[in-house]
Every structure is written in structure tokens, then in C-alpha cells.
Amino acid sequence: MAMAALRREGRRFAPLISPRPITAVRSSPIVPTHEDEAPIGVRYISTQVVRNRMKSVKNIQKITKAMKMVAASKLRAIQTKAENSRGLWQPFTALLGDLPSVDVKKNVVVTISSDKGLCGGINSTSVKISKGIYKLNSGPEKETKYVILGEKAKAQLIRDSKKDIELIITELQKNPLSYTQVSVLADEILKNVEYDALRIVFNKFHSVVSFVPTVSTVLSPEIVERESESGGKLGELDSYEVEGGETKGEILQNLAEFQFSCVMFNAVLENACSEQGARMSAMDSSSRNAGDMLDRLTLTYNRTRQASITTELIEIISGASALEG
């Protein structure tokens, strides 16, 4: 009788005591099973996020260190070629001159850049100087065109100067650079453009952390003859003995073409050295930044883990105290 009355009273008060089924309620100290891992507390999720972030930063640091080593290896291979190529164009400068301020009607700006990024601001610098030269040599009776070497200069100049681009050459460093390869490119440029002055924009290599934006000017034979008194030692050309019966104009034509190929060869090598040096510096900075970020993430992870352990200890002690009370 008493048990029957108790069951009746329990059924009558059950809606007021527990509006939900009792099986849906779980106390926090119970460890969840494998099937219930999703609704774990926020503290566990935060430590997992930090661990994933630390793993990503470590992987990025490994990549940047490897890229720095590859850039250093390539730099050593190119630097010797670049230093040896400087002796090719210097005699031409002494004989024909390098006159960047010469005023001519047809200008061609040859912008040399890299095909790949992650090398600092060397490509942006070359593009800015090229645009500045374009503005300086623009006028109602003047014509200025671009010849672009490299994907990075192409991507920047094609946006606002597409109609002024005469020729685009990419993947220049796909094979090891040689004078034969560059002379073929120089011949291709001379065949496709008409010029009074070729202005070659590149980055001259000084050291791993230093490069200087440089402009070399190659004049056409007619302009060289006109400007002979303003730069080189063209007047002394008549004192040399010429074999083969060539005229002065033919000699100047050959010298101008050979000068352009030599200057191009040196400019491409100098820019390649600057690219690898800038990439080494950029990857070194990235590796150090990744190390600093990893230190901060490790500190955050340790603090979060310690906070979760402390919280669990407080819950255990509170539960034990409640049972004893």
C-alpha cells in the first residue's frame, strides 16, 4: 500500500521536478565515451587548436629554412658568372659611352625581373623605375615601349600599360644562364623593336643584403654618332685600323648589337644574384619570425593546458568535499 502510494505521488510530481528525461542529464566529472567526443569542453578544443597551429608553424619554418639553403646554393653558382661578366660591357662603355640623359624619340625600356616571388621588393623596385623612365621620356613626338623579362614585371605592368608592351619573355632562368641563351634573346629584341635608345633596368648585386637598382643605356648607331662628343671616346675610333673594308656605320652597328648582348648578359646575371640574395634574406626573416611565433604559441599552449588541469583539480576537490559534507 505504501509503495503504491509513493509511486502515485512520484508520477504526480515528476513533471515539476524533471521536465526532461533523466537519462539526458550527465554530470561534468563523468568522462565521455568515444562516441561523445564532440561536445568536449571549450578548454580541450582551445588546446587542440593551439597544437594544430604550432604544427603548421613548424612546417612553415622547415620550408623557409629549406628555401634559404636552396637560394644560397644557387647564389654561389651565379655570383661567379656575374662577376666575370662585368668585364664584357665595361670596354663598350669606355668606347661608346653610357648616356642615360640622352633625348631621343624612340625609347625602349627593358625591365628585368624574376619569374618567382618570395624575394623581397626587387621586382617592385624595377617596375617603379621603369614607370619613372617611361614618364620622363613621354611626349607628343616621342614613343616609349616596354620589353619585359620575367613574370613578376609582366603581372604588374600589364595592368596599366598593356598597350605599350612590345615584347614579353618569361621562364628565362628555367635553364642555367649562358651568353648564348641571352644573345639569342637580345637578337630577338632587336628584331622586334625600333629604338633610338634601349634602357635596361635591373638590380645590381652588391651583397646578400644589398642590391642597387641600375639603368644601363644602349644607343643606336645613329644616336651614338650624333652624341659622340657627350659621353664616350667615339672620336678615337677613326684612329684604329679597320680590316675587311667595313664602313664606320657598319662597325658601329656591329658594336651596338654586341654591346647590347653583353649588357643584357650582365644585367640578367646581376638581377638573378640579387633575386637569390633577397630570397635568402626574406626566408631567414621568415624562419626567425616563425621561431618567435612558435615560442608565443608554446607559452599559450602551456598556460591553457595548466588552466585546464587546475580546473579539473578544483572540480575533483569540490566533488570530494560535497560527498564528505
Side-chain angles (χ1 to χ4, degrees):
M1 295 281 299
M3 292 299 296
L6 185 60
R7 282 197 293 270
R8 284 197 300 271
E9 291 297 322
R11 283 196 298 271
R12 188 159 61 90
F13 288 103
L16 299 176
I17 298 172
S18 178
R20 294 182 183 179
I22 296 176
T23 55
V25 179
R26 182 194 302 158
S27 59
S28 58
I30 298 177
V31 179
T33 61
H34 181 70
E35 296 177 353
D36 299 324
E37 284 182 355
I40 300 177
V42 175
R43 59 180 181 271
Y44 297 103
I45 295 176
S46 63
T47 54
Q48 183 64 39
V49 169
V50 175
R51 276 202 302 269
N52 292 339
R53 186 70 183 275
M54 289 170 63
K55 186 177 179 181
S56 300
V57 173
K58 285 180 182 178
N59 292 336
I60 292 172
Q61 189 178 40
K62 290 178 183 178
I63 293 171
T64 54
K65 286 182 178 180
M67 290 183 69
K68 178 185 175 182
M69 293 173 62
V70 171
S73 176
K74 290 182 178 179
L75 177 62
R76 284 193 294 270
I78 301 172
Q79 187 174 357
T80 304
K81 288 184 180 180
E83 292 173 351
N84 294 335
S85 68
R86 292 172 186 171
L88 289 175
W89 59 270
Q90 290 170 351
F92 289 103
T93 303
L95 181 63
L96 303 177
D98 187 352
L99 204 61
S101 59
V102 64
D103 187 18
V104 295
K105 291 183 178 180
K106 295 181 179 181
N107 290 277
V108 176
V109 182
V110 183
T111 306
I112 300 176
S113 68
S114 65
D115 289 316
K116 298 179 181 179
L118 300 176
C119 53
I122 64 169
N123 297 314
S124 300
T125 304
S126 297
V127 170
K128 287 179 182 177
I129 292 176
S130 300
K131 289 181 178 179
I133 294 173
Y134 181 88
K135 291 180 180 178
L136 287 173
N137 293 282
S138 298
E141 297 181 357
K142 294 182 179 180
E143 182 184 10
T144 305
K145 296 291 184 180
Y146 286 112
V147 172
I148 300 174
L149 276 70
E151 285 284 353
K152 293 303 176 179
K154 169 189 169 184
Q156 295 185 48
L157 288 173
I158 206 169
R159 283 178 286 191
D160 51 0
S161 306
K162 187 175 182 179
K163 60 183 178 60
D164 298 318
I165 297 175
E166 194 75 18
L167 185 65
I168 298 174
I169 300 171
T170 58
E171 296 185 356
L172 187 61
Q173 299 184 43
K174 191 174 182 179
N175 300 314
L177 294 170
S178 64
Y179 178 76
T180 304
Q181 177 188 1
V182 177
S183 62
V184 171
L185 295 177
D187 188 54
E188 185 74 16
I189 293 171
L190 294 176
K191 285 180 180 178
N192 287 278
V193 299
E194 295 182 2
Y195 72 97
D196 292 330
L198 290 161
R199 305 183 188 275
I200 305 162
V201 181
F202 63 98
N203 294 284
K204 187 177 179 64
F205 178 77
H206 275 197
S207 66
V208 175
V209 295
S210 174
F211 57 89
V212 179
T214 308
V215 180
S216 293
T217 306
V218 177
L219 304 176
S220 65
E222 296 80 11
I223 303 301
V224 169
E225 205 162 1
R226 191 191 77 185
E227 301 289 335
S228 58
E229 70 278 0
S230 304
K233 301 177 181 178
L234 187 62
E236 298 181 3
L237 187 63
D238 296 329
S239 62
Y240 290 94
E241 183 180 350
V242 179
E243 296 181 358
E246 293 181 338
T247 63
K248 185 177 180 180
E250 292 174 342
I251 293 172
L252 287 175
Q253 181 69 33
N254 294 333
L255 285 175
E257 293 177 359
F258 190 43
Q259 179 191 14
F260 178 57
S261 63
C262 291
V263 172
M264 277 286 294
F265 181 54
N266 175 253
V268 168
L269 289 173
E270 295 278 2
N271 199 81
C273 282
S274 300
E275 175 193 350
Q276 300 302 334
R279 183 169 289 118
M280 280 183 61
S281 300
M283 293 301 102
D284 182 60
S285 299
S286 299
S287 299
R288 283 189 275 105
N289 291 338
D292 295 340
M293 185 179 291
L294 194 60
D295 292 340
R296 292 196 297 270
L297 288 172
T298 303
L299 182 61
T300 303
Y301 173 76
N302 290 335
R303 285 177 176 175
T304 306
R305 187 170 60 89
Q306 187 63 40
S308 67
I309 293 171
T310 305
T311 304
E312 290 177 358
L313 288 174
I314 292 172
E315 290 176 354
I316 293 170
I317 294 171
S318 300
S321 300
L323 290 175
E324 288 177 359

